[in-house]
């Protein structure tokens, strides 16, 4: 596989990595410390091939959705962004977030960790967040130039390894599993799962991904409120639409599709 090294002081030794993938991860840009793999990926996306991955040991300004922070301390997690140039309608970009959550849940399962997918972009274990996804797209005149899928998976943090503000809401693979693993193993399995799901998505659309998403969530039937910034909607999660919207039953007669928001269990 082609490995492009940007930072030669980089401590990541990906030379030993032998990923048996087709197009995903064929080009890797590995860093020791950058502000955010997401920012770098967006900067280089135009001139990068489809499937390029940007990785960093540490992010000094990791990003969540809505400009929230993603804490990404050194060597503690898999912090990466995937550059894609898919021939897709812009409306389906949000489905890539759901797809990526499925890939993460499948990967964690291979390490004996049963993670649940929480709409739209979280993987949680026992109610605590172990991974998050941030999907951003550049679109010109209704055509996708590129999509960048940011993935953060907490690997090795102890409880007090997280900043105080997320100590009660975040978890890591190390905190859950006795299973021994390396960052490279997690990366490798994730890439294989992600590539397979993206290939399936490009061939057959969202329907098979939706089925997998549904089989990896326990959210259905739960009472929640969804915070959409300007508005909060209370109800019971009743499903996922064929487009990937969260279906929220707000009373006996009404179910509303939700495209964006944060789900809070009641
Ligand atoms: C996300 O946003 O969950 C998207 C996370 C994407 C991170 C990746 S890492 C590689 C790539 N480069 C980037 O700069 N970002 C991507 P959101 O749903 O908005 O969740 C953010 C919230 O999660 C924060 O407000 C915190 O409450 C919490 N949080 C922050 N860091 C966390 C961590 N390491 N583990 C668990 N929770 C965290």
């Amino acid at each position: 596989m082609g490995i492009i090294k940007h930072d030669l002081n980089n401590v990541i030794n990906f030379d030993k990595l032998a990923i048996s993938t087709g197009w995903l991860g064929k080009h890797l840009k590995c860093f020791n410390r950058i502000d955010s793999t997401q920012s770098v990926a967006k900067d280089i996306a135009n001139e990068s091939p489809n499937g390029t991955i940007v990785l960093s040991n540490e992010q000094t300004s990791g990003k969540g959705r809505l400009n929230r922070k993603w804490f990404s301390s050194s060597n503690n997690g898999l912090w990466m962004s995937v550059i894609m140039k898919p021939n897709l309608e812009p409306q389906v970009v949000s489905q890539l977030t759901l797809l990526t959550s499925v890939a993460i849940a499948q990967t964690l399962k291979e390490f004996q960790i049963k993670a649940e997918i929480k709409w739209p972009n979280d993987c949680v274990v026992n109610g605590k967040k172990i991974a998050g996804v941030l999907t951003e797209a550049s679109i010109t005149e209704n055509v996708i130039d590129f999509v960048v899928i940011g993935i953060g998976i907490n690997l090795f943090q102890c409880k007090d390894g997280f900043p105080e503000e997320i100590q009660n809401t975040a978890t890591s693979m190390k905190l859950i599993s006795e299973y021994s693993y390396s960052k490279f193993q997690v990366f490798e399995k994730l890439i294989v799962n992600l590539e397979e799901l993206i290939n399936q998505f490009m061939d057959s659309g969202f329907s098979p991904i939706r089925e997998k998403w549904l089989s990896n969530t326990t959210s259905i039937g739960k009472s929640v409120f969804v915070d959409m910034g300007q508005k909060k909607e209370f109800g019971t999660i009743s499903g996922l639409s064929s487009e990937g919207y969260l279906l929220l039953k707000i009373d006996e007669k009404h179910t509303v599709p939700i495209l964006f928001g944060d789900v809070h269990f009641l």
Side-chain angles (χ1 to χ4, degrees):
M1 65 186 290
I3 294 181
I4 304 159
K5 285 241 165 102
H6 240 218
D7 176 356
L8 296 175
N9 295 321
N10 187 329
V11 297
I12 304 180
N13 183 1
F14 274 95
D15 293 331
K16 303 216 165 54
L17 202 68
I19 310 177
S20 54
T21 57
W23 57 274
L24 185 59
K26 216 167 177 183
H27 296 271
L28 284 178
K29 299 210 174 214
C30 305
F31 298 87
N32 188 31
R33 188 168 194 252
I34 50 176
D35 58 344
S36 154
T37 58
Q38 201 72 0
S39 317
V40 170
K42 286 191 282 183
D43 283 350
I44 63 168
N46 280 327
E47 57 278 6
S48 300
N50 183 39
T52 300
I53 295 181
V54 178
L55 275 149
S56 185
N57 265 338
E58 182 182 356
Q59 299 185 113
T60 53
S61 183
K63 292 175 188 14
R65 293 175 302 150
L66 302 169
N67 279 327
R68 292 174 190 142
K69 278 188 193 157
W70 183 259
F71 298 104
S72 332
S73 53
S74 179
N75 289 320
N76 271 331
L78 186 56
W79 321 129
M80 59 179 260
S81 297
V82 176
I83 299 169
M84 280 183 67
K85 300 190 167 170
N87 184 12
L88 292 170
E89 299 290 312
Q91 300 85 277
V92 305
V93 166
S94 61
Q95 295 170 359
L96 289 171
T97 303
L98 305 174
L99 178 157
T100 305
S101 306
V102 174
I104 296 171
Q106 287 179 342
T107 302
L108 293 174
K109 211 174 274 172
E110 293 180 47
F111 293 94
Q112 322 300 324
I113 294 175
K114 198 174 170 333
E116 288 160 26
I117 301 178
K118 183 172 165 236
W119 190 91
N121 68 326
D122 288 352
C123 280
V124 297
V125 179
N126 301 327
K128 294 186 176 184
K129 184 157 169 167
I130 191 165
V133 179
L134 172 66
T135 306
E136 296 177 285
S138 164
I139 296 165
T140 312
E141 289 172 8
N142 212 34
V143 175
I144 295 177
D145 309 315
F146 60 80
V147 177
V148 174
I149 306 175
I151 300 172
I153 305 180
N154 297 325
L155 301 178
F156 304 118
Q157 295 94 332
C158 307
K159 191 169 179 195
D160 56 14
F162 288 111
E164 221 174 301
E165 62 192 275
I166 59 164
Q167 276 182 13
N168 294 323
T169 55
T171 192
S172 70
M173 287 178 70
K174 184 179 175 182
L175 282 167
I176 295 157
S177 167
E178 294 293 300
Y179 200 87
S180 120
Y181 54 86
S182 68
K183 187 195 295 199
F184 311 115
Q185 288 169 323
V186 179
F187 177 76
E188 186 179 357
K189 287 188 190 298
L190 177 67
I191 294 311
V192 171
N193 287 323
L194 191 57
E195 181 174 292
E196 204 176 293
L197 288 168
I198 295 174
N199 288 343
Q200 188 176 35
F201 181 64
M202 300 308 282
D203 289 345
S204 314
F206 185 58
S207 173
I209 310 299
R210 177 178 171 274
E211 291 305 316
K212 289 182 176 134
W213 190 93
L214 286 167
S215 65
N216 280 288
T217 189
T218 55
S219 299
I220 311 296
K222 295 224 167 111
S223 298
V224 298
F225 74 88
V226 185
D227 187 348
M228 292 172 277
Q230 314 283 43
K231 194 174 157 200
K232 284 190 180 59
E233 200 81 79
F234 286 76
T236 306
I237 297 178
S238 63
L240 187 72
S241 77
S242 57
E243 301 92 358
Y245 293 13
L246 187 75
L247 296 175
L248 189 69
K249 186 175 172 193
I250 51 172
D251 60 38
E252 279 317 306
K253 289 199 178 123
H254 300 98
T255 295
V256 292
I258 293 177
L259 178 58
F260 185 82
D262 286 310
V263 171
H264 298 270
F265 294 111
L266 294 172

